[in-house]
Amino acid sequence: DHIPTRRLLTAHEAAQYLGIGTTKLNELRRTKKIRVVRFMSDARYDIADLDRFIDQQRGWGLFNSWRAS
């Protein structure tokens, strides 16, 4: 795997970048959790938006739920 050198990625590249499948990526787009950029007639994903999505997913996971109880 390599780090993309372009700012806008195709759906396939964006899914690879996030480590998910394109079906999950489309679900995230449909539910407005990840933004899409219309580039001419194609949909593209901005790496900055993907990084922001990743940062928003950070947390304590199950440990956080356990501590809250």
Side-chain angles (χ1 to χ4, degrees):
D1 294 331
H2 71 285
I3 297 173
T5 56
R6 309 188 305 284
R7 181 171 173 182
L8 297 177
L9 304 179
T10 65
H12 179 74
E13 292 167 331
Q16 281 187 318
Y17 186 78
L18 294 173
I20 60 175
T22 54
T23 301
K24 182 64 176 176
L25 179 68
N26 288 332
E27 178 186 324
L28 292 169
R29 181 183 50 79
R30 277 193 312 276
T31 58
K32 300 183 192 268
K33 293 182 179 161
I34 291 184
R35 294 169 45 176
V36 67
V37 175
R38 289 286 167 197
F39 185 73
M40 301 178 82
S41 62
D42 296 327
R44 295 285 190 259
Y45 296 86
D46 188 326
I47 287 182
D49 291 331
L50 300 178
D51 287 339
R52 191 173 306 111
F53 172 76
I54 292 167
D55 289 341
Q56 291 169 350
Q57 304 313 303
R58 293 180 190 267
W60 294 98
L62 292 176
F63 182 71
N64 192 36
S65 298
W66 173 76
R67 285 184 58 118
S69 56

